[in-house]
């Protein structure tokens, strides 16, 4: 158990529906990162959040994708009007609150495998 | 922008064989380097990391990696693999103290290792 909890593990949606992916970071971690893994590709950075703040969303597609990390509750990655190309594994990672962020390894969840019909 | 190359897409070995997985990165300055392993259906787990100091890094489960700055390489090794090492292995890099690079992990495409009993 990595400690980073993602749900659901598998999510099936039809084109045009919305997908909501959830991530609860490890206890004591306030930095959350989302990565996307397309088939036969490495993970690609999407967004970095701290509580109630989006720090860097440079890896997110400009449309249909959004992320939040509210004061209470998990981080949510939301994909509106899904298309076939959104099919991928979405991984969340978290890192501790203390110390230089560059020195903190990221701990990953099990991922959510999103399939679009 | 930095990139990470993993030379082998799929490696097949017999138990007790020695393993070396190649990883090269493209960045001329200071880097933080990581190897993650992903067992089937599970999350990414950190095998080992290099930040500074001894370029030969020991990780969990008998793995080690050597940072060779002149070759921009961080190859993963294990003297004798077991069936339980069957997994996908990802090399990743961060650029410390560089703004976005200090938290964005850049991953290689991964190497699938199959160990035959």
């Amino acid at each position: 158990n990595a400690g980073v909890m993602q749900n659901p593990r598998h999510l099936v949606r039809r084109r045009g529906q919305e997908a909501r992916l959830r991530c609860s970071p490890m206890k004591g971690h306030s930095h959350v990162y989302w990565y996307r893994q397309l088939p036969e590709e490495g993970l690609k950075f999407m967004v970095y959040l701290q509580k109630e703040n989006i720090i860097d969303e440079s890896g997110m597609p400009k449309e249909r994708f959004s992320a939040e990390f509210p004061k209470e509750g998990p981080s949510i990655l939301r994909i509106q009007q899904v298309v076939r190309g959104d099919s991928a594994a979405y991984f969340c990672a978290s890192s501790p609150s203390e110390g230089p962020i560059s020195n903190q390894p990221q701990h990953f969840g099990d991922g959510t495998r999103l399939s679009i019909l | 922008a930095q990139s990470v190359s993993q030379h082998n897409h799929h490696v097949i070995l017999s138990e007790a064989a020695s393993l070396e997985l190649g990883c090269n990165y493209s960045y001329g300055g200071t880097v933080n380097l990581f190897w993650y392993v992903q067992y089937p259906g599970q999350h990414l787990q950190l095998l080992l990391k290099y930040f500074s100091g001894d370029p030969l890094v020991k990780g969990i489960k008998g793995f080690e990696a050597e940072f060779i700055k002149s070759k921009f390489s961080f190859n993963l090794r294990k003297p004798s693999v077991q069936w339980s090492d069957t997994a996908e292995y990802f090399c990743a890099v961060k650029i410390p103290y560089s703004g976005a690079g200090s938290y964005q992990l850049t991953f290689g495409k991964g190497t699938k290792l199959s160990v035959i009993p």
Side-chain angles (χ1 to χ4, degrees), chain A residues 1-2 9 33 35 37 40-43 45 48 55-56 58 91 100-110 113, chain B residues 9 32 34 36 38 41-44 46 49 51 88 90 94 96-97 100 102-110 112:
Chain A
N1 185 346
R9 290 291 301 274
Y33 316 83
Y35 292 82
Q37 184 182 26
E40 306 298 321
E41 295 284 331
L43 283 74
F45 170 84
Y48 161 39
I55 307 302
D56 181 353
S58 60
F91 288 93
I101 193 168
S102 59
N103 288 349
Q104 302 295 348
Q106 294 173 17
H107 299 265
F108 285 80
D110 287 340
R113 278 143 185 89
Chain B
H9 181 62
N32 292 346
F34 306 82
Y36 283 88
Q38 186 178 26
Q42 294 189 25
H43 59 272
L44 277 84
L46 183 65
K49 63 183 187 288
F51 285 164
E88 189 158 17
F90 293 92
K94 270 202 293 181
Y97 320 115
S102 63
Y103 51 78
Q104 285 187 26
L105 279 167
T106 299
F107 284 87
K109 291 189 177 183
K112 287 185 175 70

Side-chain angles (χ1 to χ4, degrees), chain A:
Chain A
N1 185 346
V4 177
M5 304 301 294
Q6 286 189 250
N7 68 82
R9 290 291 301 274
H10 301 274
L11 181 61
V12 180
R13 286 286 177 267
R14 296 188 182 280
R15 281 179 295 172
Q17 292 185 317
E18 179 180 287
R20 279 181 180 246
L21 289 62
R22 294 175 188 78
C23 169
S24 297
M26 284 180 72
K27 189 176 180 181
H29 290 193
S30 62
H31 303 281
V32 166
Y33 316 83
W34 285 92
Y35 292 82
R36 177 166 66 173
Q37 184 182 26
L38 294 169
E40 306 298 321
E41 295 284 331
L43 283 74
K44 297 279 196 293
F45 170 84
M46 298 181 75
V47 61
Y48 161 39
L49 309 106
Q50 296 178 17
K51 283 283 187 183
E52 301 185 276
N53 282 307
I54 296 174
I55 307 302
D56 181 353
E57 57 182 349
S58 60
M60 292 259 279
K62 295 286 183 263
E63 296 177 352
R64 303 186 297 107
F65 284 70
S66 61
E68 62 177 14
F69 188 15
K71 188 176 180 181
E72 300 291 336
S75 174
I76 306 285
L77 179 67
R78 183 179 175 214
I79 312 172
Q80 295 178 288
Q81 299 173 330
V82 295
V83 301
R84 287 245 170 90
D86 297 332
S87 295
Y90 292 82
F91 288 93
C92 172
S94 69
S95 65
S97 314
E98 290 77 38
I101 193 168
S102 59
N103 288 349
Q104 302 295 348
Q106 294 173 17
H107 299 265
F108 285 80
D110 287 340
T112 293
R113 278 143 185 89
L114 175 64
S115 299
I116 309 303
L117 302 178

